[in-house]
Every structure is written in structure tokens, then in C-alpha cells.
Amino acid sequence: MDETLLSGRGLSLDFGRIQALDGVNIDLWPGEVLAIVGESGSGKSTLLNVLSGRMHPDAGTVWYRGPDGHLADVHGMPEPALRRLLRSDWGFVHQNPRDGLRMTVSAGGNVGERLMAAGARHYGNIREQAAAWLKRVEIDPSRMDDLPRTFSGGMQQRLQIARTLVTHPRLVFMDEPTGGLDVSVQARLLDLIRALVAELRIAVALVTHDIAVARLLAHRIAVMRRGVVVETGLTDQVLDDPQHPYTQLLVASVLQA
Amino acid sequence: MTEGYNFAYLDEQTKRMIRRALLKAVAVPGHQVPFGSREMPLPYGWGTGGIQVTASVLGPDDTLKVIDQGADDTTNAVSIRAFFARVAGVATTARTAEATVIQTRHRIPETPLTEGQIIVYQVPQPEPLYKLEPSRAATRRLHALSEYGLMHVKLYEDIARFGHISIAYDYPVMVNGRYLMAPSPIPAFDNPKMHMMPALQLFGAGREKRIYAVPPYTAVRSLDFEDHPFRTTRAPHCCELCGSDTSYLDEVVIDDRGGRIFVCSDTDYCAERRSTQQAAA
């Protein structure tokens, strides 16, 4: 791999007495899936929010390498630039699809929104692309004009993924994308994400507390505890031969089915 | 002019404040400028914003026309016209061509406006994104960053659901290629009249405390899709009184047996046409 796509250096953030991030260094390369694992409250969601520019760190910098190869300071760039990044080059998949979808807008409109925000003004083309994406995430295009609230949880999550990927982002942040879904739906969704990510060569920063999800999707893994990254490495390496006592505990605590 | 009132009801300091807001609004076409809306002797929703703007631009030599839904003889129009005749002593007229200031609710006159005229719109809801994004802080940000994809989502939804854009009034427009603007509840039929209009267009929203403006000869484009272009709709009839087949029509129920006629909503335009027809006959 050549150069990092996104890197955080010395990221710190506290919420009062709680040190959510404590000098975190993290790197993400193009086309790579990085899982950030850890228990609840370990700061993994906060890290994702800071990396994606949605939260401002107390100290440290997040560098993003744009398509032109230049490094940009995510928190230092003007707001219009950051917002443009968030709706074109980047994507964010929320744990709860309701946070990422417009529940009062049809499925097609949800997928089309990012296209329209990017300046698409041809109804036929928008619709065509929306239908193609719905098909890709295994939603029947005949349900295109239905409201997301008539969809099942798994379908809503797939719709959110379609909506995020429609602008072909280079980097997608996912916060527990399979949380709250039952196991069989989870497995299909993971298959789908894995296929799409491999096909489109998207870099993904994935937050999860589920080691199995990390093992299935991620190339690399970062283990967090109390705002500190305690161990990073290739997924198999970290999970099969954990070095840090906390990682050993985490891996040992997973039930073997 | 009635004793005890300042000219045109408002005190000079208030007019000055409103004029400053108007100047700013004209300088940034389509941008909503906040102003300190005053309590007026009529309820919110009846045209308090329009009245305050009119009061601030009115001079002793002006001739005022007030229309409501195109008509000069409806309650709102009559009351506001009487109000200014009393507190400003200005001349009033029903004829569009003779007026220098026209306060309107829901219509733009059919007779094309000219340079030197001012049209003041009464605006109930100045924020075009209001129904899509309830937070005013968020919409201000969207305006600042010119992020109007959301409005197109609404148009997309309309086409997906009804096969066409179903907004019949208050149809959103882009002003000067920069700001998204609510043209007040005029029918979409009137939107093309705003484009490159020689007259100055001022918008006052009293309850919402916002003023905005479109200076003369400014581009006003109705939002649409390339393959679903903006189009106006009009009842497919002729005016029962003057026979116009181009003006905007009102449907009027005339009896309790289902009888109805279509007449021009612009009463002045209709009357003018009828008098020229009579003169010709």
C-alpha cells in the first residue's frame, strides 16, 4: 500500500472527567477495512465521530488525503469543504437507520438525495441510479416509492447503505452497522457489505463490539480500551494471537458457536 | 390625514429600521433579513409584514393599490387601502398601471409592471425549506452554504408520487442563481412574471419577522428537473366576463345546483378588458 487515506495523530477528547480519547494514533489506507473494537464506553464511537469531523478533538489532528493527493486537516478545513466531503467523498452509516434515513421520504428519494445534493437534476437518471442501487442491496425496485418505515430493520439498514454508497465515496464510516438486527439478517448484511466494499474498493472505518463482525469484514483491527488504542494489527493476527491482556480477555470472552 | 398619527402610521425610527433591512435585502437578492416586526392594528396573517414594508416605502406623492387574491374589492384589500388612505393620506387606485406601490396577497397583477413601480408581497412563511427542515438554525446554514438538494428531494417525491411536481402555489425559486426563496403564496402561474421584472419586489413577513427582496431585472428561476421542466397550470377555460384565455382564473360557485363560472382573479385586468371591449363595440 502506498499512502494513508486518513490518519489521526494524538487525538484527545474528554467529556468532563471522562477521558473518551487519550492520545489516539490511527491510520487507514485506501481500500482497507479497519475495525475499531472494544467494550461499551471505550471511546470507539467517539473516535469515529472525531475521525469523520462530526466532533472536534481537544488535541490532535486528523489528516485526510483527497483524490488529488493533498493532505487536508479535517478539523481545520472550512465548513463548506467539510460538508462537501461528508456528502460526496465520505459516507456515514449509522447504527440506527432512522438516524441516517429520511423516514418521510420514499426509498428512491433517500437514495437520490445525495445525488441531488451533488447537483444531479435529471429525474430519469436519478431514478435509474436509485433503482440500480436498490437492486444491488437486494431491495426489490418495485418498493422504490414506499416509505422506509414500511421496511423491515434489515431492509432499512440496506437502504441506508445504498443511500451512502450511491455517490461512490472513497471512505465510509460505519457505526455498528449490524447492531440491533437478528443473526440471520446480520449475516446477509455482512455478506453484502463485504461484497460491496471489495467491489468498489472503499476504505471503511468500522466500529463494532462484535468480534465476529470484525473477523468477517476487517483487514485490520484496532482494539480500544478507556480511550486508548491498546493493540493494532492484521485481524487474524490480533484475534488469533492477542498480545495485550485486554485483547486476550476480549477474544477469550467470545462464545464459540 | 388623520390627526395624531405619524405619516403612514409607523414612527420614523421604525421606518428607518425597516428601510435599513430593505436596503440589505435588495443588496442580497432573495436573502431573508431579520427585522423588528411591530405590532400592527390587524392580526398576524392578515398582512402585517406587507403593511410595515408599504408604510416604510410610501411617500406623500405615491399612489397605492392593494389586492388580495387579485381582487381590489375583498376585505383584506379594502381594509388595508382604507388604512393607508387614512393614516398617510395617499391617493389610492384600483388600476395597476396608475399605481406606484402595489401591496399584494396571493397574486401578481396580469398587467406587466414597469420600472418605478414597487410590488410588496405579504408573506406568511418566508422560509422555503420550512416543511423539510424544521430547525431555523439548520435552514440558515443551508442557505449560507447554498445547499438546496433537500428542496429537490421534495420535488422528486412529488414526481414519484403524482407524476408531476404538485406544488401549485408558493413554488420555490432560485433568485439570482444564489438564494432559494419562497415567492409567498402566489400561484406557480405567476412565477415567470418575477423573472427579470422591471419593478422592485419587496417581501414582508410580519409574524416571522423577515424581509427579503428581488431587485429589478433579477433572474428568478423556478426549481425543476431537466426532464420535468417547470410548467404553469391554468384552468382550461375562458373568463366568463371578459373572455380572456390567458389570465389566471378563479372558479366561482353561482348557485346551489352546481352552477359555476370561471372569471379572472385580477379584477382590474378584467374590468379594463371589458371597458375596451365596450368602447370598441
Side-chain angles (χ1 to χ4, degrees), chain A residues 1 28-35 194 197-198 201-204 214-221 233-238:
Chain A
M1 290 283 181
L28 185 64
W29 276 271
E32 169 194 61
V33 179
L34 169 70
R194 191 160 64 164
V197 164
R201 298 216 4 101
I202 303 169
V204 178
R215 191 188 280 278
L216 201 60
L217 285 181
H219 303 129
R220 272 193 326 125
I221 212 166
L234 297 174
T235 305
D236 290 343
Q237 187 188 326
V238 172

PDB file of all heavy atoms in Angstrom, chain A residues 1 28-35 194 197-198 201-204 214-221 233-238:
ATOM      1  N   MET A   1       0.840  -1.208   0.000  1.00  0.00           N
ATOM      2  CA  MET A   1       0.000   0.000   0.000  1.00  0.00           C
ATOM      3  C   MET A   1       0.871   1.252   0.000  1.00  0.00           C
ATOM      4  O   MET A   1       1.927   1.290   0.627  1.00  0.00           O
ATOM      5  CB  MET A   1      -0.886   0.016   1.247  1.00  0.00           C
ATOM      6  CG  MET A   1      -1.972  -1.032   1.203  1.00  0.00           C
ATOM      7  SD  MET A   1      -3.314  -0.520   0.124  1.00  0.00           S
ATOM      8  CE  MET A   1      -4.413  -1.908   0.305  1.00  0.00           C
ATOM      9  N   LEU A  28      -5.519   4.740   8.260  1.00  0.00           N
ATOM     10  CA  LEU A  28      -6.392   3.966   7.391  1.00  0.00           C
ATOM     11  C   LEU A  28      -5.877   4.120   5.970  1.00  0.00           C
ATOM     12  O   LEU A  28      -5.643   5.232   5.506  1.00  0.00           O
ATOM     13  CB  LEU A  28      -7.827   4.505   7.507  1.00  0.00           C
ATOM     14  CG  LEU A  28      -8.926   3.759   6.771  1.00  0.00           C
ATOM     15  CD1 LEU A  28      -9.080   2.356   7.332  1.00  0.00           C
ATOM     16  CD2 LEU A  28     -10.246   4.501   6.906  1.00  0.00           C
ATOM     17  N   TRP A  29      -5.658   2.992   5.306  1.00  0.00           N
ATOM     18  CA  TRP A  29      -5.146   3.031   3.938  1.00  0.00           C
ATOM     19  C   TRP A  29      -6.279   2.880   2.933  1.00  0.00           C
ATOM     20  O   TRP A  29      -7.326   2.329   3.276  1.00  0.00           O
ATOM     21  CB  TRP A  29      -4.096   1.938   3.747  1.00  0.00           C
ATOM     22  CG  TRP A  29      -2.746   2.359   4.213  1.00  0.00           C
ATOM     23  CD1 TRP A  29      -1.796   2.983   3.484  1.00  0.00           C
ATOM     24  CD2 TRP A  29      -2.195   2.206   5.531  1.00  0.00           C
ATOM     25  NE1 TRP A  29      -0.688   3.243   4.260  1.00  0.00           N
ATOM     26  CE2 TRP A  29      -0.896   2.774   5.517  1.00  0.00           C
ATOM     27  CE3 TRP A  29      -2.661   1.662   6.736  1.00  0.00           C
ATOM     28  CZ2 TRP A  29      -0.067   2.806   6.635  1.00  0.00           C
ATOM     29  CZ3 TRP A  29      -1.844   1.696   7.833  1.00  0.00           C
ATOM     30  CH2 TRP A  29      -0.549   2.262   7.785  1.00  0.00           C
ATOM     31  N   PRO A  30      -6.074   3.317   1.688  1.00  0.00           N
ATOM     32  CA  PRO A  30      -7.142   3.210   0.686  1.00  0.00           C
ATOM     33  C   PRO A  30      -7.580   1.761   0.493  1.00  0.00           C
ATOM     34  O   PRO A  30      -6.744   0.854   0.450  1.00  0.00           O
ATOM     35  CB  PRO A  30      -6.496   3.756  -0.598  1.00  0.00           C
ATOM     36  CG  PRO A  30      -5.368   4.606  -0.139  1.00  0.00           C
ATOM     37  CD  PRO A  30      -4.881   3.990   1.143  1.00  0.00           C
ATOM     38  N   GLY A  31      -8.883   1.552   0.416  1.00  0.00           N
ATOM     39  CA  GLY A  31      -9.426   0.231   0.125  1.00  0.00           C
ATOM     40  C   GLY A  31      -9.377  -0.728   1.294  1.00  0.00           C
ATOM     41  O   GLY A  31      -9.644  -1.913   1.146  1.00  0.00           O
ATOM     42  N   GLU A  32      -9.036  -0.228   2.469  1.00  0.00           N
ATOM     43  CA  GLU A  32      -8.875  -1.122   3.604  1.00  0.00           C
ATOM     44  C   GLU A  32     -10.053  -1.018   4.571  1.00  0.00           C
ATOM     45  O   GLU A  32     -10.615   0.052   4.757  1.00  0.00           O
ATOM     46  CB  GLU A  32      -7.588  -0.718   4.333  1.00  0.00           C
ATOM     47  CG  GLU A  32      -7.429  -1.366   5.670  1.00  0.00           C
ATOM     48  CD  GLU A  32      -6.349  -0.706   6.482  1.00  0.00           C
ATOM     49  OE1 GLU A  32      -6.472   0.499   6.790  1.00  0.00           O
ATOM     50  OE2 GLU A  32      -5.375  -1.382   6.815  1.00  0.00           O
ATOM     51  N   VAL A  33     -10.407  -2.143   5.167  1.00  0.00           N
ATOM     52  CA  VAL A  33     -11.439  -2.123   6.192  1.00  0.00           C
ATOM     53  C   VAL A  33     -10.755  -2.231   7.557  1.00  0.00           C
ATOM     54  O   VAL A  33     -10.073  -3.213   7.840  1.00  0.00           O
ATOM     55  CB  VAL A  33     -12.436  -3.284   6.016  1.00  0.00           C
ATOM     56  CG1 VAL A  33     -13.486  -3.231   7.115  1.00  0.00           C
ATOM     57  CG2 VAL A  33     -13.077  -3.224   4.640  1.00  0.00           C
ATOM     58  N   LEU A  34     -10.959  -1.193   8.345  1.00  0.00           N
ATOM     59  CA  LEU A  34     -10.364  -1.178   9.673  1.00  0.00           C
ATOM     60  C   LEU A  34     -11.479  -1.287  10.696  1.00  0.00           C
ATOM     61  O   LEU A  34     -12.407  -0.478  10.690  1.00  0.00           O
ATOM     62  CB  LEU A  34      -9.591   0.131   9.883  1.00  0.00           C
ATOM     63  CG  LEU A  34      -9.125   0.399  11.312  1.00  0.00           C
ATOM     64  CD1 LEU A  34      -8.013  -0.553  11.709  1.00  0.00           C
ATOM     65  CD2 LEU A  34      -8.682   1.840  11.481  1.00  0.00           C
ATOM     66  N   ALA A  35     -11.394  -2.303  11.554  1.00  0.00           N
ATOM     67  CA  ALA A  35     -12.403  -2.434  12.602  1.00  0.00           C
ATOM     68  C   ALA A  35     -11.857  -1.828  13.883  1.00  0.00           C
ATOM     69  O   ALA A  35     -10.702  -2.048  14.236  1.00  0.00           O
ATOM     70  CB  ALA A  35     -12.744  -3.900  12.816  1.00  0.00           C
ATOM     71  N   ARG A 194     -19.471  -6.837   2.697  1.00  0.00           N
ATOM     72  CA  ARG A 194     -18.172  -7.359   2.285  1.00  0.00           C
ATOM     73  C   ARG A 194     -18.037  -7.341   0.766  1.00  0.00           C
ATOM     74  O   ARG A 194     -17.024  -6.916   0.213  1.00  0.00           O
ATOM     75  CB  ARG A 194     -17.982  -8.778   2.810  1.00  0.00           C
ATOM     76  CG  ARG A 194     -16.561  -9.265   2.631  1.00  0.00           C
ATOM     77  CD  ARG A 194     -16.255 -10.393   3.522  1.00  0.00           C
ATOM     78  NE  ARG A 194     -17.107 -11.559   3.181  1.00  0.00           N
ATOM     79  CZ  ARG A 194     -16.840 -12.786   3.601  1.00  0.00           C
ATOM     80  NH1 ARG A 194     -15.792 -13.014   4.344  1.00  0.00           N
ATOM     81  NH2 ARG A 194     -17.635 -13.782   3.294  1.00  0.00           N
ATOM     82  N   VAL A 197     -17.873  -3.604  -0.537  1.00  0.00           N
ATOM     83  CA  VAL A 197     -16.613  -2.953  -0.192  1.00  0.00           C
ATOM     84  C   VAL A 197     -15.478  -3.475  -1.074  1.00  0.00           C
ATOM     85  O   VAL A 197     -14.652  -2.713  -1.575  1.00  0.00           O
ATOM     86  CB  VAL A 197     -16.298  -3.180   1.306  1.00  0.00           C
ATOM     87  CG1 VAL A 197     -14.855  -2.881   1.620  1.00  0.00           C
ATOM     88  CG2 VAL A 197     -17.221  -2.324   2.162  1.00  0.00           C
ATOM     89  N   ALA A 198     -15.496  -4.811  -1.317  1.00  0.00           N
ATOM     90  CA  ALA A 198     -14.445  -5.391  -2.152  1.00  0.00           C
ATOM     91  C   ALA A 198     -14.584  -4.920  -3.585  1.00  0.00           C
ATOM     92  O   ALA A 198     -13.607  -4.587  -4.260  1.00  0.00           O
ATOM     93  CB  ALA A 198     -14.524  -6.915  -2.085  1.00  0.00           C
ATOM     94  N   ARG A 201     -13.901  -1.065  -3.799  1.00  0.00           N
ATOM     95  CA  ARG A 201     -12.624  -0.694  -3.180  1.00  0.00           C
ATOM     96  C   ARG A 201     -12.754   0.547  -2.309  1.00  0.00           C
ATOM     97  O   ARG A 201     -12.047   1.529  -2.456  1.00  0.00           O
ATOM     98  CB  ARG A 201     -11.534  -0.495  -4.245  1.00  0.00           C
ATOM     99  CG  ARG A 201     -11.266  -1.757  -5.025  1.00  0.00           C
ATOM    100  CD  ARG A 201      -9.821  -2.031  -5.439  1.00  0.00           C
ATOM    101  NE  ARG A 201      -8.781  -1.139  -4.993  1.00  0.00           N
ATOM    102  CZ  ARG A 201      -7.968  -1.409  -3.973  1.00  0.00           C
ATOM    103  NH1 ARG A 201      -8.134  -2.500  -3.266  1.00  0.00           N
ATOM    104  NH2 ARG A 201      -7.015  -0.561  -3.665  1.00  0.00           N
ATOM    105  N   ILE A 202     -13.723   0.460  -1.411  1.00  0.00           N
ATOM    106  CA  ILE A 202     -13.957   1.560  -0.478  1.00  0.00           C
ATOM    107  C   ILE A 202     -13.164   1.286   0.789  1.00  0.00           C
ATOM    108  O   ILE A 202     -13.057   0.142   1.225  1.00  0.00           O
ATOM    109  CB  ILE A 202     -15.452   1.625  -0.099  1.00  0.00           C
ATOM    110  CG1 ILE A 202     -16.316   1.767  -1.343  1.00  0.00           C
ATOM    111  CG2 ILE A 202     -15.728   2.746   0.868  1.00  0.00           C
ATOM    112  CD1 ILE A 202     -17.785   1.567  -1.046  1.00  0.00           C
ATOM    113  N   ALA A 203     -12.604   2.333   1.364  1.00  0.00           N
ATOM    114  CA  ALA A 203     -11.999   2.198   2.681  1.00  0.00           C
ATOM    115  C   ALA A 203     -13.104   2.360   3.715  1.00  0.00           C
ATOM    116  O   ALA A 203     -13.966   3.217   3.574  1.00  0.00           O
ATOM    117  CB  ALA A 203     -10.932   3.259   2.883  1.00  0.00           C
ATOM    118  N   VAL A 204     -13.076   1.504   4.729  1.00  0.00           N
ATOM    119  CA  VAL A 204     -14.129   1.553   5.741  1.00  0.00           C
ATOM    120  C   VAL A 204     -13.497   1.629   7.126  1.00  0.00           C
ATOM    121  O   VAL A 204     -12.569   0.892   7.437  1.00  0.00           O
ATOM    122  CB  VAL A 204     -15.036   0.303   5.660  1.00  0.00           C
ATOM    123  CG1 VAL A 204     -16.096   0.352   6.753  1.00  0.00           C
ATOM    124  CG2 VAL A 204     -15.689   0.195   4.300  1.00  0.00           C
ATOM    125  N   ALA A 214     -15.996  -8.122  13.113  1.00  0.00           N
ATOM    126  CA  ALA A 214     -14.653  -7.637  12.795  1.00  0.00           C
ATOM    127  C   ALA A 214     -13.880  -8.708  12.036  1.00  0.00           C
ATOM    128  O   ALA A 214     -13.226  -8.431  11.034  1.00  0.00           O
ATOM    129  CB  ALA A 214     -13.921  -7.256  14.074  1.00  0.00           C
ATOM    130  N   ARG A 215     -13.986  -9.938  12.483  1.00  0.00           N
ATOM    131  CA  ARG A 215     -13.226 -11.004  11.831  1.00  0.00           C
ATOM    132  C   ARG A 215     -13.678 -11.206  10.384  1.00  0.00           C
ATOM    133  O   ARG A 215     -12.878 -11.438   9.486  1.00  0.00           O
ATOM    134  CB  ARG A 215     -13.374 -12.323  12.596  1.00  0.00           C
ATOM    135  CG  ARG A 215     -12.381 -13.363  12.080  1.00  0.00           C
ATOM    136  CD  ARG A 215     -12.590 -14.731  12.642  1.00  0.00           C
ATOM    137  NE  ARG A 215     -12.063 -14.976  13.978  1.00  0.00           N
ATOM    138  CZ  ARG A 215     -10.780 -15.287  14.237  1.00  0.00           C
ATOM    139  NH1 ARG A 215      -9.878 -15.277  13.281  1.00  0.00           N
ATOM    140  NH2 ARG A 215     -10.402 -15.556  15.463  1.00  0.00           N
ATOM    141  N   LEU A 216     -14.978 -11.082  10.178  1.00  0.00           N
ATOM    142  CA  LEU A 216     -15.530 -11.322   8.859  1.00  0.00           C
ATOM    143  C   LEU A 216     -15.190 -10.202   7.883  1.00  0.00           C
ATOM    144  O   LEU A 216     -14.887 -10.441   6.718  1.00  0.00           O
ATOM    145  CB  LEU A 216     -17.048 -11.456   8.971  1.00  0.00           C
ATOM    146  CG  LEU A 216     -17.762 -12.169   7.841  1.00  0.00           C
ATOM    147  CD1 LEU A 216     -17.250 -13.579   7.716  1.00  0.00           C
ATOM    148  CD2 LEU A 216     -19.258 -12.173   8.115  1.00  0.00           C
ATOM    149  N   LEU A 217     -15.261  -8.940   8.345  1.00  0.00           N
ATOM    150  CA  LEU A 217     -15.155  -7.811   7.432  1.00  0.00           C
ATOM    151  C   LEU A 217     -13.762  -7.188   7.361  1.00  0.00           C
ATOM    152  O   LEU A 217     -13.337  -6.732   6.305  1.00  0.00           O
ATOM    153  CB  LEU A 217     -16.132  -6.700   7.847  1.00  0.00           C
ATOM    154  CG  LEU A 217     -17.606  -6.890   7.547  1.00  0.00           C
ATOM    155  CD1 LEU A 217     -18.366  -5.675   8.020  1.00  0.00           C
ATOM    156  CD2 LEU A 217     -17.846  -7.124   6.068  1.00  0.00           C
ATOM    157  N   ALA A 218     -13.069  -7.164   8.487  1.00  0.00           N
ATOM    158  CA  ALA A 218     -11.937  -6.247   8.580  1.00  0.00           C
ATOM    159  C   ALA A 218     -10.632  -6.864   8.106  1.00  0.00           C
ATOM    160  O   ALA A 218     -10.393  -8.056   8.275  1.00  0.00           O
ATOM    161  CB  ALA A 218     -11.786  -5.772  10.023  1.00  0.00           C
ATOM    162  N   HIS A 219      -9.818  -6.034   7.496  1.00  0.00           N
ATOM    163  CA  HIS A 219      -8.446  -6.420   7.197  1.00  0.00           C
ATOM    164  C   HIS A 219      -7.571  -6.190   8.412  1.00  0.00           C
ATOM    165  O   HIS A 219      -6.722  -6.988   8.751  1.00  0.00           O
ATOM    166  CB  HIS A 219      -7.894  -5.593   6.025  1.00  0.00           C
ATOM    167  CG  HIS A 219      -8.721  -5.706   4.793  1.00  0.00           C
ATOM    168  ND1 HIS A 219      -9.176  -4.623   4.098  1.00  0.00           N
ATOM    169  CD2 HIS A 219      -9.195  -6.798   4.135  1.00  0.00           C
ATOM    170  CE1 HIS A 219      -9.888  -5.026   3.054  1.00  0.00           C
ATOM    171  NE2 HIS A 219      -9.907  -6.336   3.061  1.00  0.00           N
ATOM    172  N   ARG A 220      -7.815  -5.067   9.041  1.00  0.00           N
ATOM    173  CA  ARG A 220      -7.023  -4.725  10.224  1.00  0.00           C
ATOM    174  C   ARG A 220      -7.956  -4.392  11.369  1.00  0.00           C
ATOM    175  O   ARG A 220      -9.118  -4.075  11.178  1.00  0.00           O
ATOM    176  CB  ARG A 220      -6.123  -3.522   9.927  1.00  0.00           C
ATOM    177  CG  ARG A 220      -4.785  -3.973   9.334  1.00  0.00           C
ATOM    178  CD  ARG A 220      -3.770  -2.858   9.334  1.00  0.00           C
ATOM    179  NE  ARG A 220      -4.323  -1.550   9.129  1.00  0.00           N
ATOM    180  CZ  ARG A 220      -4.138  -0.536   9.954  1.00  0.00           C
ATOM    181  NH1 ARG A 220      -3.443  -0.697  11.062  1.00  0.00           N
ATOM    182  NH2 ARG A 220      -4.657   0.645   9.686  1.00  0.00           N
ATOM    183  N   ILE A 221      -7.419  -4.452  12.542  1.00  0.00           N
ATOM    184  CA  ILE A 221      -8.247  -4.273  13.727  1.00  0.00           C
ATOM    185  C   ILE A 221      -7.503  -3.362  14.704  1.00  0.00           C
ATOM    186  O   ILE A 221      -6.273  -3.396  14.772  1.00  0.00           O
ATOM    187  CB  ILE A 221      -8.545  -5.667  14.337  1.00  0.00           C
ATOM    188  CG1 ILE A 221      -9.907  -5.704  15.004  1.00  0.00           C
ATOM    189  CG2 ILE A 221      -7.489  -6.112  15.274  1.00  0.00           C
ATOM    190  CD1 ILE A 221     -10.349  -7.124  15.291  1.00  0.00           C
ATOM    191  N   GLY A 233      -3.304  -4.363  14.483  1.00  0.00           N
ATOM    192  CA  GLY A 233      -2.614  -5.345  13.657  1.00  0.00           C
ATOM    193  C   GLY A 233      -3.581  -5.962  12.684  1.00  0.00           C
ATOM    194  O   GLY A 233      -4.764  -5.581  12.631  1.00  0.00           O
ATOM    195  N   LEU A 234      -3.076  -6.927  11.914  1.00  0.00           N
ATOM    196  CA  LEU A 234      -3.947  -7.647  10.993  1.00  0.00           C
ATOM    197  C   LEU A 234      -4.992  -8.401  11.807  1.00  0.00           C
ATOM    198  O   LEU A 234      -4.696  -8.890  12.903  1.00  0.00           O
ATOM    199  CB  LEU A 234      -3.135  -8.626  10.148  1.00  0.00           C
ATOM    200  CG  LEU A 234      -2.107  -7.966   9.236  1.00  0.00           C
ATOM    201  CD1 LEU A 234      -1.257  -9.022   8.560  1.00  0.00           C
ATOM    202  CD2 LEU A 234      -2.798  -7.083   8.218  1.00  0.00           C
ATOM    203  N   THR A 235      -6.183  -8.516  11.259  1.00  0.00           N
ATOM    204  CA  THR A 235      -7.297  -9.084  12.013  1.00  0.00           C
ATOM    205  C   THR A 235      -6.971 -10.463  12.572  1.00  0.00           C
ATOM    206  O   THR A 235      -7.112 -10.721  13.769  1.00  0.00           O
ATOM    207  CB  THR A 235      -8.546  -9.176  11.115  1.00  0.00           C
ATOM    208  OG1 THR A 235      -8.799  -7.887  10.586  1.00  0.00           O
ATOM    209  CG2 THR A 235      -9.738  -9.651  11.896  1.00  0.00           C
ATOM    210  N   ASP A 236      -6.515 -11.335  11.696  1.00  0.00           N
ATOM    211  CA  ASP A 236      -6.257 -12.709  12.139  1.00  0.00           C
ATOM    212  C   ASP A 236      -5.163 -12.756  13.189  1.00  0.00           C
ATOM    213  O   ASP A 236      -5.240 -13.489  14.168  1.00  0.00           O
ATOM    214  CB  ASP A 236      -5.870 -13.574  10.933  1.00  0.00           C
ATOM    215  CG  ASP A 236      -7.072 -13.803  10.028  1.00  0.00           C
ATOM    216  OD1 ASP A 236      -8.197 -13.578  10.519  1.00  0.00           O
ATOM    217  OD2 ASP A 236      -6.882 -14.170   8.868  1.00  0.00           O
ATOM    218  N   GLN A 237      -4.159 -11.901  12.950  1.00  0.00           N
ATOM    219  CA  GLN A 237      -3.033 -11.861  13.880  1.00  0.00           C
ATOM    220  C   GLN A 237      -3.500 -11.440  15.272  1.00  0.00           C
ATOM    221  O   GLN A 237      -3.185 -12.078  16.271  1.00  0.00           O
ATOM    222  CB  GLN A 237      -2.034 -10.863  13.316  1.00  0.00           C
ATOM    223  CG  GLN A 237      -0.719 -10.772  14.027  1.00  0.00           C
ATOM    224  CD  GLN A 237       0.072  -9.591  13.450  1.00  0.00           C
ATOM    225  OE1 GLN A 237      -0.021  -9.288  12.263  1.00  0.00           O
ATOM    226  NE2 GLN A 237       0.806  -8.930  14.320  1.00  0.00           N
ATOM    227  N   VAL A 238      -4.297 -10.362  15.306  1.00  0.00           N
ATOM    228  CA  VAL A 238      -4.749  -9.855  16.605  1.00  0.00           C
ATOM    229  C   VAL A 238      -5.683 -10.841  17.277  1.00  0.00           C
ATOM    230  O   VAL A 238      -5.588 -11.097  18.477  1.00  0.00           O
ATOM    231  CB  VAL A 238      -5.425  -8.480  16.434  1.00  0.00           C
ATOM    232  CG1 VAL A 238      -6.071  -8.048  17.737  1.00  0.00           C
ATOM    233  CG2 VAL A 238      -4.424  -7.452  15.950  1.00  0.00           C
TER     234      VAL A 238
END
